[in-house]
Amino acid sequence: MNTIFDKIISREIPADIVYEDELVLAFKDIAPKAPVHYLIIPKQAIATLNDANLEHQALLGHMMLTAAQLAKDTGIADGGYRVQMNCNADGGQVVYHIHLHLMGGRALGT
């Protein structure tokens, strides 16, 4: 599968990248829902959370710890933030490459 996220990882299309390591890439969402809205994507393609298995456990944990570090780095950790992953159409997933939304910088409703 070749999603828009695969094209961002391979630098075929540009993104405002805020973090990268050997496992993940984080960039600013193009339609932010909060003052800070980053997407954290694994470099390994996994379509949905339903497709993850025990082999992906460390990667999923790394994604969460990356979100926490980015929240600290951007100054939103103390005030609070949201980390969200959508799964499949009814869950609001649009791109079928798992990703975390890190949102903060203001009070977030339910």
Side-chain angles (χ1 to χ4, degrees):
M1 183 185 301
N2 198 12
T3 69
I4 190 169
F5 291 169
D6 295 305
K7 292 177 182 180
I8 290 171
I9 292 166
S10 67
R11 304 304 200 271
E12 291 176 53
I13 61 174
D16 192 350
I17 297 170
V18 296
Y19 178 81
E20 181 176 16
D21 64 25
E22 67 281 354
L23 298 175
V24 300
L25 185 75
F27 54 93
K28 293 181 179 179
D29 193 295
I30 61 170
K33 307 289 188 260
V36 173
H37 188 166
Y38 298 156
L39 299 181
I40 302 159
I41 63 173
K43 291 183 175 178
Q44 178 182 359
I46 304 166
T48 74
L49 188 56
N50 292 336
D51 298 305
N53 56 50
L54 286 176
E55 153 189 335
H56 303 114
Q57 185 173 357
L59 175 60
L60 296 170
H62 183 70
M63 290 173 66
M64 293 297 287
L65 292 176
T66 299
Q69 186 59 54
L70 286 170
K72 292 172 190 167
D73 292 348
T74 57
I76 63 171
D78 289 342
Y81 57 95
R82 178 176 295 156
V83 177
Q84 178 177 317
M85 182 183 289
N86 302 330
C87 185
N88 282 325
D90 285 353
Q93 187 174 6
V94 177
V95 178
Y96 284 82
H97 182 127
I98 64 169
H99 54 284
L100 294 178
H101 294 261
L102 169 63
M103 295 173 280
R106 66 167 172 81
L108 301 170
T110 56

